[in-house]
Amino acid sequence: MRKIILSVILILLLVISLFSNSILSENPLPAVAATFDTGDTAWMIVATALVLLMTPGLGFFYGGMVGKKNVISTMLQSFMAMIIVTILWVIIGFSLSFGTSYGGVIGDPTEFFMFQNVGVTTAWGTIPFMLFALFQAKFAIITPALITGAFAERIRFWAYMLFMVLFIIFVYSPLCHMTWHSDGYFFKMGVLDFAGGTVVHMSAGWAALAGAMFLGKRKIQKVNPARITYVLLGTGLLWFGWFGFNAGSSLGANALAVQALGTTTVAAAAAGMGWVFYDKILGHKVSAMGACIGAVVGLVAITPAAGFVSIPHAIFIGLFSSLVSNIVVSKFPKGKIDDALDVFACHGVGGMTGMLLTGVFASSAINPAVTDQGLIFGETTLFLHQLTALIIVSVFAFTVSYALFFIVNKITPLRVTEDKEELGLDISQHGEYL
């Protein structure tokens, strides 16, 4: 049955891609080309490539943390996100996220179906519309990949891919639309999310918690990390790519991009320092894992605030978020909920901390688009909007993700059998090993 379904999907994709232009639109591109800024376009091409690099970086980051029998499977889950979500984004994801709004919650699925009307001669600001669409695709790609760390070492690969498709359609796309579409519910409310605190990190964090709860504990929870060097390499690639993630969200080669570059740099460094210093205060050794996890938490937390806050405030966000996540990691009920790689504590909590601190430190002096300044400047409106969005996103992402895990499990079992888990997913799921 699975072979038949996969064959039908491939055939349908071939037919749609072959005939979509003639079926959907005779002339999807305008006759007159828009005027683009070459500097902005060049930077956004680079930024798009940088954001894509984050996903294989995440593969190394997660792959080094799991046991030796699950390295390939864990890394492949990130790589498959690049493959599956790219096609899904072109077919319907971009349209759901940025199509004409239905009630501020979701976009028209037909408007940009198969990238119709998404051309290189139409403009999004000062860059080609297709470039914007491809830049956004990279955000969609990494989000389900982030979730995989929570259910590492025990999920069936085909079930994961089905969940990934449903997650993009029913969780990621609505949150993306509500946050970044000009008619989106959160956007019109005045919620600030520069590069994905709600859309990427909170949605992934809450979905990770839902997955860890639904799949249950691993047979053996405490395993030695397979390759600490992979974790170091993955952190370096993530940090490097994150400059495209945050600075690229300015959508141009401008002063705001430089500001986001600066805040991203110092927040990551401050968080890495905060994590290892706090570990040392508690009597632990300074570890490579701790330094890497801390830096990534800082990158997560600064993401929603990157283009709205000053450099000193970015240092505070990095330090504070690392301490909060470190405490949550240490206090998380691991004996009851097996979030294997602490995705919720790092990405979920880090994203929430960053969202709230954006409501504290956002400044119109940094970004004129900030109409309601942060709590530290004596204004409360923005902070309350950020808090409201945090609550709504948390409930929505967790509830819908848990429901999707339930549905997928009814279609095909999510968990591998005990003997396959003991054998390791590299062999049992892929027939490969290190």
Side-chain angles (χ1 to χ4, degrees):
M1 177 62 70
R2 183 188 301 162
K3 292 180 180 179
I4 295 174
I5 293 173
L6 293 176
S7 299
V8 170
I9 291 173
L10 289 175
I11 292 170
L12 284 175
L13 187 57
L14 285 169
V15 171
I16 291 172
S17 60
L18 182 62
F19 296 108
S20 60
N21 279 351
S22 58
I23 294 173
L24 298 173
S25 174
E26 293 182 0
N27 184 22
L29 302 180
V32 180
T35 301
F36 306 118
D37 184 287
T38 55
D40 290 347
T41 301
W43 160 236
M44 290 308 299
I45 291 172
V46 173
T48 301
L50 286 171
V51 181
L52 182 64
L53 184 65
M54 292 173 65
T55 300
L58 181 70
F60 277 102
F61 185 73
Y62 281 172
M65 292 183 180
V66 297
K68 291 183 178 179
K69 298 184 292 185
N70 297 291
V71 174
I72 295 172
S73 179
T74 300
M75 296 181 72
L76 184 59
Q77 287 168 7
S78 290
F79 275 79
M80 285 305 296
M82 291 194 291
I83 294 170
I84 300 298
V85 177
T86 296
I87 300 302
L88 183 62
W89 188 253
V90 170
I91 294 173
I92 197 172
F94 181 67
S95 195
L96 289 172
S97 299
F98 291 96
T100 300
S101 186
Y102 288 156
V105 176
I106 197 68
D108 181 352
T110 65
E111 186 172 358
F112 303 122
F113 179 76
M114 288 295 290
F115 262 31
Q116 66 164 336
N117 302 319
V118 180
V120 295
T121 58
T122 50
W124 184 282
T126 59
I127 64 174
F129 190 26
M130 185 178 290
L131 179 54
F132 171 77
L134 293 173
F135 177 68
Q136 288 293 333
K138 314 314 177 191
F139 287 69
I141 287 167
I142 198 170
T143 306
L146 290 170
I147 303 169
T148 61
F151 45 63
E153 303 185 315
R154 61 197 188 277
I155 195 167
R156 291 178 68 244
F157 196 75
W158 288 106
Y160 156 68
M161 289 207 294
L162 177 57
F163 170 79
M164 176 168 52
V165 170
L166 296 177
F167 175 85
I168 291 295
I169 293 173
F170 294 104
V171 179
Y172 182 87
S173 293
L175 289 178
C176 183
H177 184 85
M178 286 189 282
T179 305
W180 288 332
H181 192 283
S182 59
D183 290 326
Y185 177 73
F186 294 143
F187 189 96
K188 294 179 76 172
M189 184 193 297
V191 173
L192 298 181
D193 184 358
F194 193 74
T198 55
V199 181
V200 177
H201 296 293
M202 280 181 59
S203 69
W206 283 107
L209 182 62
M213 292 174 64
F214 189 89
L215 269 78
K217 298 180 290 185
R218 289 166 292 173
K219 191 174 182 180
I220 301 174
Q221 292 189 49
K222 292 185 179 181
V223 295
N224 293 322
R227 297 282 191 277
I228 301 295
T229 49
Y230 280 11
V231 180
L232 287 162
L233 174 61
T235 303
L237 292 172
L238 282 168
W239 197 335
F240 180 63
W242 224 292
F243 293 131
F245 201 74
N246 287 356
S249 292
S250 66
L251 299 180
N254 50 39
L256 188 58
V258 178
Q259 183 69 25
L261 182 77
T263 56
T264 301
T265 301
V266 300
M273 183 179 71
W275 193 286
V276 297
F277 280 23
Y278 184 66
D279 277 352
K280 191 63 178 176
I281 291 169
L282 295 178
H284 306 312
K285 292 182 178 179
V286 175
S287 67
M289 286 273 283
C292 289
I293 293 171
V296 170
V297 168
L299 291 165
V300 169
I302 197 60
T303 291
F308 302 123
V309 301
S310 68
I311 295 295
H313 288 157
I315 293 174
F316 180 91
I317 290 171
L319 278 171
F320 186 79
S321 64
S322 72
L323 296 177
V324 171
S325 287
N326 195 321
I327 292 169
V328 173
V329 167
S330 64
K331 301 298 183 182
F332 195 81
K334 289 184 171 60
K336 297 179 180 179
I337 302 173
D338 185 14
D339 182 349
L341 305 183
D342 296 312
V343 178
F344 176 73
C346 294
H347 290 275
V349 173
M352 286 187 282
T353 303
M355 280 295 294
L356 287 179
L357 292 181
T358 302
V360 173
F361 296 121
S363 169
S364 58
I366 300 298
N367 189 332
V370 177
T371 54
D372 298 309
Q373 295 198 111
L375 204 60
I376 200 171
F377 301 104
E379 299 182 25
T380 59
T381 302
L382 176 61
F383 182 82
L384 293 175
H385 286 162
Q386 300 293 106
L387 180 61
T388 301
L390 183 150
I391 295 170
I392 294 173
V393 172
S394 298
V395 173
F396 173 79
F398 178 83
T399 304
V400 177
S401 296
Y402 196 93
L404 294 180
F405 281 115
F406 179 83
I407 292 169
V408 170
N409 194 54
K410 289 295 183 181
I411 298 171
T412 182
L414 276 166
R415 279 200 67 147
V416 297
T417 58
E418 284 195 6
D419 58 326
K420 289 184 177 179
E421 181 180 340
E422 190 171 354
L423 181 62
L425 302 189
D426 291 355
I427 290 292
S428 68
Q429 300 296 293
H430 311 292
E432 297 172 314
Y433 57 89
L434 288 178

